[in-house]
Structures are given as structure tokens and as C-alpha cells.
Amino acid sequence: MEHEAPIHTFMGLQFNLSNVLMITVSCVIVFLIAVLATRALSMKPGGMQNFLEWVVDFVKGIINSTMDWHTGGRFLTLGLTLLMYIFVSNMLGLPFAVAFDHELWWKSPTADPTITLTLAVMVVVLSHYYGVKLKGAKRYGAEYFKPFKLFFPLKLIEEFANTLTLGLRLYGNIYAGEILLGLLVGLAHKGIFAGILGIFPLIVWQGFSVFVGAIQAFIFTMLTMVYLAHKVADDH
């Protein structure tokens, strides 16, 4: 837990190389899953194709629970990508962490607030974009003054709060899980007896962390569709 992030400065900007690495790894894994599941499509799916079709149906269910399919169908790819990417990202730091020269290189990218808040900002910006695109700028902008003009500053605060909570909720859950895993692994350095005692809670917590990672991926995707529905659907 005392490791530092590998920071590299380029043209006056600082880059966390660990984040760059783990984002790339997550993207590659999701891409490979998609390719392997769709490279040999058949009318009787099996294996990876069956799994991916189940995920697609799951995301469709999320969309249908927040808005009508005519409006929300365009967000299927977004929801599918978010669900798979966040789940994979949440899992990467569970088996192990890799540190080199006191710098932490391998961890869950979603255990960094920069990543989760960036995802949250992307979702909120997309919701505004589609709100303007589907309703028009004038009609969309007028909704910020309903039912009274005095509600405008409150709605601005709501937008900020939604962005903050969406990103920090994901970060907090994944980071806390990795902190506890690190503490349990650290018991091995306290002696053989302490290490043996820590094996069982370590296995239990890793299993629970898989559950938490899956739930957080679902919650992030669900809230994304809720925010989009509030911006684009007429009945929200």
C-alpha cells in the first residue's frame, strides 16, 4: 500500500503509466472477448457466443427498464461496452498486484478516481449531447427552468452531484476492496501462523470482491441509462 504511481511527464503533462497500461489491458481483454464470441456466429449459439448473447439481453433489459426501446435502442452498444469494460477493470486487481522499484504497475484501473470520474464525465456529457440532439437545444435548455426558473441553480448542482457520485461510488468500492486484500496479504509478513490464519479470509474476500465488482459494473451501467433516459425520454 506504500507504493507510488509511475508518473511520466511529457510536454508538461503528467501521465500515470500504470493507468495507461491497465486501461490498455482492459480494452484488449474486452476486444478479445468480443472477437472470440462473434468470430463463428451460428443459429444455435454455444460457448462464448451464448455468453455474449446473454450479456446483450441483460443490457437490453437494463435499457427497457429505464426507457422505451425506440429511444433507448441506440444506447445498446454503449451499455454493453460499459458493462464489460468496467467488470473486466474491476477484476484485474483481484488476483495479484505487481510493483517494481516501489512503483505499483498492475492494479484495477477503476481503483483510481481519475479513471472512474473520467467515465462519469463521459456519461454525463453524452447525456447532454443526446438530449440536445433528440429534443433540440431550445426545448432541452428549457427543461432546466421547469417547473420554476428558481430551480435552475439546483439542477446545475444536481448535474455536478450526479457526476461526482457516479464516479466516486465505483472508485470507493473497488479501492476499498484492494486495500483490504493488501492488508490480508500483508499478514504473511507477520509470520507463518498469521499467514495461515489470513488464507481463509483472503479467499472469502476475493470471492466477495468478484461479486462487488460485478454489482458495481451493473450499477454504473444502470445509472448511465437512467441519466440518459432523464435527458432524452419524454416520460421522465
Side-chain angles (χ1 to χ4, degrees):
M1 294 299 119
E2 299 177 356
H3 300 300
E4 299 177 354
I7 303 298
H8 178 72
T9 302
F10 178 72
M11 297 182 64
L13 299 176
Q14 290 188 331
F15 295 89
N16 187 328
L17 298 185
S18 174
N19 285 345
V20 174
L21 171 65
M22 299 314 298
I23 289 172
T24 303
V25 171
S26 298
C27 291
V28 169
I29 292 175
V30 172
F31 177 76
L32 290 176
I33 292 174
V35 170
L36 292 175
T38 58
R39 64 177 180 174
L41 297 177
S42 63
M43 294 302 295
K44 294 182 179 181
M48 289 291 291
Q49 182 184 342
N50 197 33
F51 165 75
L52 189 61
E53 289 189 6
W54 175 82
V55 176
V56 170
D57 289 338
F58 183 75
V59 175
K60 284 183 177 180
I62 294 176
I63 296 173
N64 286 327
S65 68
T66 57
M67 66 190 98
D68 64 275
W69 183 250
H70 176 73
T71 303
R74 71 192 75 219
F75 304 127
L76 175 61
T77 304
L78 171 64
L80 183 63
T81 303
L82 280 176
L83 185 68
M84 294 180 64
Y85 173 78
I86 293 175
F87 176 76
V88 169
S89 297
N90 292 348
M91 297 299 108
L92 288 180
L94 291 184
F96 52 83
V98 176
F100 178 75
D101 195 21
H102 300 291
E103 293 179 336
L104 183 61
W105 285 86
W106 186 281
K107 62 183 181 64
S108 295
T110 44
D112 190 307
T114 304
I115 305 301
T116 59
L117 287 173
T118 299
L119 288 171
V121 169
M122 179 198 72
V123 166
V124 172
V125 170
L126 274 177
S127 70
H128 291 302
Y129 168 77
Y130 278 105
V132 173
K133 180 179 180 180
L134 298 180
K135 292 185 176 181
K138 183 176 181 180
R139 181 185 170 197
Y140 178 74
E143 293 184 353
Y144 280 85
F145 298 92
K146 295 180 180 179
F148 307 107
K149 292 183 179 180
L150 293 176
F151 276 65
F152 177 69
L154 295 178
K155 292 194 173 184
L156 290 182
I157 295 174
E158 180 186 17
E159 293 296 328
F160 175 77
N162 285 343
T163 306
L164 202 61
T165 55
L166 183 63
L168 292 183
R169 180 188 298 106
L170 176 60
Y171 158 70
N173 280 276
I174 304 306
Y175 180 71
E178 293 197 358
I179 287 289
L180 186 52
L181 282 175
L183 293 175
L184 291 172
V185 171
L187 290 176
H189 300 286
K190 303 297 182 181
I192 297 177
F193 183 70
I196 294 175
L197 288 179
I199 292 177
F200 178 72
L202 176 63
I203 295 174
V204 171
W205 187 254
Q206 280 192 320
F208 182 70
S209 295
V210 172
F211 172 74
V212 170
I215 289 296
Q216 289 304 314
F218 164 72
I219 291 175
F220 195 98
T221 306
M222 171 64 81
L223 289 177
T224 295
M225 296 306 157
V226 169
Y227 294 158
L228 286 168
H230 285 169
K231 303 300 182 185
V232 304
D234 293 325
D235 55 344
H236 284 77

